[in-house]
């Protein structure tokens, strides 16, 4: 690309060249900011999280989430071992009311199939040129959408862009499901901070109170059990 640029002596070429050098500067600045990463935050670790849909089984890839501390909660007991708290933290949990792109596409596919069947049935009854034009427009639009939905399902491309732009599914028509979530430590921090959440919401009084249960912890913990 540089060779082609050198061969040109037009004003446009200069602009292009300026554009390139500007980008280079930006990269340098970015590199400069990233430099301190070598001495990165000793408290920062990475959690790997996997979220899967209970209805259709679709599992998103692992997402890596940086953390500075792990916040664990306590139950109603009087005494806890921090390792049990970590077990709870990493255990499979369910999250309700989460949008599932695959379930949404599967439902839209069903709806479009039914719509096309309906059009087919109506075709045998409705006569007249005007009605026929409306039907054929509706039919071709439904077919185009069905094709887009099928492609997204085949390619397992469930990005927001595909859902809203390609398949034209507005957010109000998305399917909400229960998903399972599981997390593990993908990269341990140099120093692990465990935050024990002792705040308890008292439903009777509507106030927060402190959970004063004892939390025991060993002098050293092998984190292997909760790591990727
Ligand atoms: Zn689903």
């Amino acid at each position: 690309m540089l060779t082609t640029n050198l061969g040109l002596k037009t004003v446009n070429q200069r602009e292009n060249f300026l554009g390139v050098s500007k980008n280079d500067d930006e990269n340098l600045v970015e590199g400069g900011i990233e430099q301190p990463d070598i001495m990165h935050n000793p408290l920062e670790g990475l959690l790997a999280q996997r979220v899967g849909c209970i209805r259709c089984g679709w599992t998103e890839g692992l997402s890596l989430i940086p953390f500075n501390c792990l916040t664990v909660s306590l139950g109603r007991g009087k005494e806890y071992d921090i390792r049990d708290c970590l077990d709870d933290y990493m255990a499979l949990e369910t999250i309700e009311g989460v949008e599932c792109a695959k379930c949404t596409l599967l439902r839209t596919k069903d709806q479009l199939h039914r719509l096309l069947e309906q059009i087919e049935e109506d075709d045998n009854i409705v006569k007249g040129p005007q009605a026929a034009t409306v039907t054929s427009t509706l039919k071709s639009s439904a077919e185009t959408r069905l094709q887009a939905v099928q492609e997204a399902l085949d390619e397992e491309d469930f990005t927001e862009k595909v859902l809203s732009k390609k398949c034209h599914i507005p957010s109000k028509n998305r399917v909400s499901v229960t998903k399972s979530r599981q997390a593990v430590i993908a990269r341990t921090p140099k120093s692990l901070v465990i935050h024990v959440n002792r705040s308890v919401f008292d439903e009777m009084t509507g106030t927060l109170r402190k959970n004063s249960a004892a939390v025991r912890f060993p002098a050293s913990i092998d984190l292997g059990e909760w790591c990727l």
Side-chain angles (χ1 to χ4, degrees), residues 52-58 99-104 106 175 177-179:
C53 172
I54 286 176
R55 197 189 292 181
C56 72
W58 167 249
E99 208 175 86
C100 176
K102 187 173 180 182
C103 282
T104 301
L106 287 169
V175 176
V177 293
T178 301
K179 288 193 175 183

Side-chain angles (χ1 to χ4, degrees), residues 74-78 80 197-200 209-214:
L74 302 173
R76 290 166 182 266
K78 283 188 174 158
Y80 288 89
N197 181 11
R198 290 186 176 275
S199 300
V200 182
R209 63 179 175 81
K210 187 173 176 177
N211 183 337
S212 51

Side-chain angles (χ1 to χ4, degrees), residues 112-130:
L112 288 168
H113 265 304
R114 276 203 300 274
L115 177 67
L116 284 166
E117 278 168 16
Q118 194 66 48
I119 292 172
E120 206 99 317
E121 280 172 26
D122 290 354
D123 250 3
N124 301 328
I125 310 158
V126 178
K127 297 283 176 273
Q130 210 175 350

